[in-house]
Amino acid sequence: MVKLATLRVRKAFGDELVAKGAITEEELKTVTNLLSQTHEKIGKLLVDLGALSETDLVKQLSDYLGIRYVTSEDFPAVPVLENSFSVRFMRECKFVPIGLVDDNQLVLAMADPVDQSTLDAIRLYSRFQDFEVVLAPESEILDLIEKFYGNQASSLGRIVEGIGADGLEGLAEEAEDIEHLKDLASEAPVIRLVNLVISRAIESRASDIHIEPFERELKVRYRIDGVLYDTESPPKRLKSAVISRIKIMAKLNIAERRIPQDGRIKMRVLGRDIDLRVSTLPTMYGESVVMRILDKSNTQIYELESLGFSELMLAQMGDLIKKPHGIILVTGPTGSGKTTTLYAALTKINLPDKKIITIEDPVEYQINGINQIHVNPQIGLTFSAGLRSIVRQDPDVIMVGEMRDLETAEIGIRAALTGHLVFSTLHTNDAPGAIARLVDMGAEDYLIASSVLGVLAQRLVRVICPHCKESVDMDRAYLREIGFPEEWSNQVFEGRGCKECSNTGYLGRLGLYELMLMDEDIRRLTITNADASRLRKKAVENGMVTLRQDGFIKIHAGLSSVSEIIRVTQES
């Protein structure tokens, strides 16, 4: 007897997925067309196309069929049966025994639990007649088979095995046969391989994918929470095929390998609309490719309250963004969350009585009610040119993506002095350094003093994983050396590392902040052309919390670790 839940009479599986919003009508049509050309099932095709993840497919099938599903976490640590079924049989029929009940009922994990012919074959060639069948992701079933009975080949390894060496033998390191390269990059296994690399990155919460060719290997790395991690990589022989596939997707010239190229890929991965910004760079051993992942389906614009501000700093920021005119600057290195902070501030004041215009490079997320402009230097639409036109549009609030030159800075200052609230960013290490940077650009110090309301410096730090967070004892002498308050020494935490955080000990990020308000003392020093160190000293005397001090507050609150705060603020 096979224990399966009673199957409900329902609409076709594909139609149900569309009704639930799991896939689109267009994706269903694409898969329906492919069904007539292949023997694959609809679920497998949806996964191969990136419309659903395997996990989502299993959950949807479980609901549709009324059958319990399991994942690798539920699998046994050792084989349940030895020498009962051939490895080839289990691989081809995609099942694996995962349990025994009373020594006579076999629990089977199957990718296709309604495959009656497989169940009949198992019954015929084994002593078991009673089964409990559960659903499991195909790749996890195959991985478990390899782990228990095979050579431990991974999902990526199985795809690579499907890419024959025949088409690669004649493909030199710098192949000149572009048509051959196009054909190779358009083969189904190569497409699946690239889709797997992208979908794994998105499942891992990566912000960037780095594909780097070296002398003896092709390395794939993911940037997760601001830190790069190695991941399973394809063999070097597939370098040309993988990079060409990405360039075709990004509509780049695959014949050109001598100069950098930039492009975009819009695709739906794991049921989400993803925008990938692709950059290629020629290196000694081939083209290095970096893909920045922007999740277009994530329409959430963060609120200031959720970014990690202390109560005092949040109140100060709230007062600044309500001012009728002046400049508010956000500083920090690339990838420190400046754009997120600016979007959160703009969203806070995005009311019907205000006209807000932004000029950005690029526009990363669209905000309803705000006019957003994408710079295009090729046609002369630079920050300075765009800002000049924006001022003539009678805005109340202006956001300039970055003050890169004197002309942009001067127009921004002039706009602030004529009744506009201006937001912008600069690349400086701390808040006082922003004033010195504007002076170095050539802006007049008295105009800076009159127009700037405040400067916010920020960094992003990793948050300790709540699932494996534990209290630790730190060397008191070391804590004193870095300036950590003695009375807080007993409340220091770290992440042990677990499955939820991929054994990193961290899950997500939040901001560290340093807000310098332009009070009378700072304005006076600015006019006298004081350097950044004098400005910093006076700001601290007047109550400014530094980046490291804000980090210590986050350590005391159990949000981040000592090593993470020191790593991020070591130049502060």
Side-chain angles (χ1 to χ4, degrees):
M1 170 186 160
V2 180
K3 283 193 178 179
L4 290 176
T6 304
L7 299 186
R8 291 161 282 177
V9 178
R10 306 177 71 164
K11 64 178 76 170
F13 183 51
D15 293 331
E16 178 134 330
L17 290 176
V18 172
K20 286 181 174 182
I23 63 173
T24 64
E25 287 276 7
E26 186 179 344
E27 286 166 340
L28 179 58
K29 286 178 184 175
T30 302
V31 170
T32 304
N33 292 334
L34 288 173
L35 283 172
S36 61
Q37 306 166 25
T38 177
H39 297 297
E40 296 285 6
K41 294 187 179 293
I42 184 172
K44 180 72 164 58
L45 288 173
L46 285 168
V47 171
D48 286 348
L49 289 171
L52 284 176
S53 69
E54 270 195 303
T55 305
D56 288 339
L57 173 65
V58 168
K59 289 178 182 177
Q60 295 289 353
L61 269 174
S62 172
D63 182 54
Y64 181 75
L65 298 173
I67 299 174
R68 179 167 70 92
Y69 76 88
V70 297
T71 64
S72 58
E73 293 180 359
D74 306 302
F75 288 164
V78 295
V80 172
L81 297 174
E82 294 282 3
N83 305 318
S84 291
F85 308 106
S86 74
V87 176
R88 182 177 177 183
F89 178 40
M90 288 190 288
R91 278 183 189 147
E92 288 183 355
C93 297
K94 299 176 180 60
F95 78 91
V96 65
I98 61 168
L100 273 173
V101 180
D102 298 330
D103 200 41
N104 59 7
Q105 185 189 59
L106 186 62
V107 182
L108 292 174
M110 297 183 69
D112 183 4
V114 293
D115 182 358
Q116 195 59 48
S117 60
T118 294
L119 292 170
D120 290 341
I122 295 171
R123 187 179 291 109
L124 183 63
Y125 293 107
S126 75
R127 65 181 177 86
F128 297 98
Q129 300 297 307
D130 193 9
F131 307 117
E132 179 186 357
V133 176
V134 295
L135 260 169
E138 179 182 316
S139 66
E140 293 183 5
I141 289 173
L142 294 173
D143 284 346
L144 187 65
I145 292 169
E146 300 303 333
K147 176 183 173 183
F148 284 167
Y149 313 107
N151 58 9
Q152 299 193 25
S154 65
S155 303
L156 187 142
R158 287 192 299 274
I159 292 175
V160 169
E161 284 176 9
I163 304 175
D166 299 341
L168 297 166
E169 292 298 334
L171 198 63
E173 284 295 306
E174 297 300 330
E176 298 298 331
D177 188 350
I178 302 304
E179 290 306 317
H180 185 185
L181 206 52
K182 280 183 181 177
D183 291 342
L184 187 63
S186 300
E187 288 189 5
V190 175
I191 293 172
R192 282 203 297 273
L193 177 60
V194 172
N195 284 347
L196 180 64
V197 168
I198 295 172
S199 61
R200 277 185 174 176
I202 292 165
E203 286 181 329
S204 303
R205 303 178 296 105
S207 60
D208 301 85
I209 304 169
H210 292 245
I211 300 175
E212 304 159 310
F214 293 99
E215 185 177 8
R216 293 185 176 86
E217 63 178 335
L218 178 65
K219 182 177 284 190
V220 176
R221 297 193 287 174
Y222 296 152
R223 188 177 294 280
I224 303 170
D225 293 333
V227 177
L228 277 172
Y229 293 94
D230 283 333
T231 187
E232 189 179 10
S233 303
K236 186 173 182 292
R237 67 186 175 90
L238 296 179
K239 177 191 75 174
S240 297
V242 169
I243 293 174
S244 295
R245 173 62 192 163
I246 293 169
K247 290 173 75 174
I248 288 171
M249 293 169 72
K251 297 180 175 60
L252 300 179
N253 181 1
I254 69 167
E256 181 55 77
R257 306 185 192 90
R258 300 164 301 171
I259 60 173
Q261 297 186 67
D262 294 299
R264 283 197 159 191
I265 300 172
K266 290 185 179 181
M267 60 189 300
R268 192 171 172 85
V269 182
L270 310 182
R272 289 145 63 183
D273 292 319
I274 301 297
D275 195 354
L276 299 169
R277 281 164 39 200
V278 181
S279 171
T280 70
L281 185 72
T283 68
M284 280 185 66
Y285 299 106
E287 289 176 287
S288 170
V289 177
V290 176
M291 293 183 277
R292 166 64 58 88
I293 301 170
L294 298 174
D295 188 350
K296 291 298 184 182
S297 65
N298 180 10
T299 56
Q300 175 191 13
I301 299 296
Y302 291 96
E303 297 181 347
L304 282 174
E305 291 80 2
S306 66
L307 298 183
F309 285 102
S310 65
E311 286 188 21
L312 172 62
M313 220 175 293
L314 185 62
Q316 291 172 332
M317 276 295 292
D319 289 339
L320 281 183
I321 64 177
K322 290 175 185 172
K323 299 282 187 185
H325 54 81
I327 297 177
I328 299 170
L329 294 171
V330 181
T331 78
T334 301
S336 59
K338 300 187 295 296
T339 302
T340 299
T341 301
L342 287 173
Y343 280 174
L346 291 177
T347 303
K348 191 86 171 173
I349 58 175
N350 184 16
L351 302 170
D353 63 342
K354 283 188 172 63
K355 175 156 185 168
I356 304 175
I357 305 178
T358 74
I359 180 162
E360 308 170 54
D361 182 20
V363 174
E364 293 191 6
Y365 296 103
Q366 297 173 16
I367 310 175
N368 190 39
I370 294 180
N371 300 279
Q372 295 171 272
I373 304 168
H374 187 112
V375 300
N376 189 347
Q378 293 178 340
I379 61 171
L381 182 55
T382 59
F383 278 120
S384 55
L387 186 52
R388 239 184 263 108
S389 299
I390 287 172
V391 173
R392 293 195 287 270
Q393 286 277 309
D394 186 31
D396 297 289
V397 181
I398 301 168
M399 187 189 100
V400 186
E402 184 183 345
M403 287 190 174
R404 294 178 178 173
D405 51 52
L406 176 60
E407 187 179 6
T408 306
E410 284 181 336
I411 300 170
I413 290 171
R414 202 176 307 127
L417 294 174
T418 53
H420 303 87
L421 184 61
V422 179
F423 292 86
S424 191
T425 70
L426 279 174
H427 289 283
T428 62
N429 289 331
D430 59 9
I435 304 300
R437 175 63 58 84
L438 288 174
V439 171
D440 289 343
M441 282 183 185
E444 297 289 348
D445 48 23
Y446 67 92
L447 292 178
I448 298 170
S450 303
S451 60
V452 175
L453 299 172
V455 183
L456 179 75
Q458 70 176 75
R459 298 290 187 279
L460 288 177
V461 292
R462 293 180 290 173
V463 177
I464 298 172
C465 174
H467 304 284
C468 59
K469 176 177 167 181
E470 60 185 14
S471 179
V472 294
D473 292 324
M474 296 283 294
D475 182 357
R476 298 296 178 89
Y478 173 69
L479 292 177
R480 280 195 299 272
E481 182 185 333
I482 64 174
F484 191 73
E486 183 78 27
E487 63 273 18
W488 290 354
S489 298
N490 292 326
Q491 195 159 347
V492 178
F493 298 88
E494 286 184 359
R496 183 177 61 254
C498 64
K499 186 177 179 65
E500 295 294 328
C501 61
S502 303
N503 292 313
T504 64
Y506 299 98
L507 194 63
R509 290 189 291 177
L510 55 72
L512 291 189
Y513 301 98
E514 172 180 287
L515 179 59
M516 184 183 77
L517 300 174
M518 289 292 285
D519 56 27
E520 288 306 315
D521 290 334
I522 301 297
R523 286 195 174 93
R524 196 175 301 114
L525 285 173
T526 300
I527 293 172
T528 58
N529 205 16
D531 60 22
S533 60
R534 289 179 60 197
L535 288 168
R536 183 177 184 81
K537 183 179 178 182
K538 177 56 69 175
V540 171
E541 287 176 6
N542 291 354
M544 182 182 81
V545 176
T546 66
L547 285 167
R548 180 162 289 189
Q549 288 169 344
D550 193 38
F552 290 161
I553 293 170
K554 304 252 183 334
I555 294 170
H556 180 58
L559 296 172
S560 197
S561 66
V562 172
S563 59
E564 178 68 2
I565 297 301
I566 297 303
R567 178 183 75 84
V568 171
T569 65
Q570 54 192 345
E571 82 282 355
S572 299

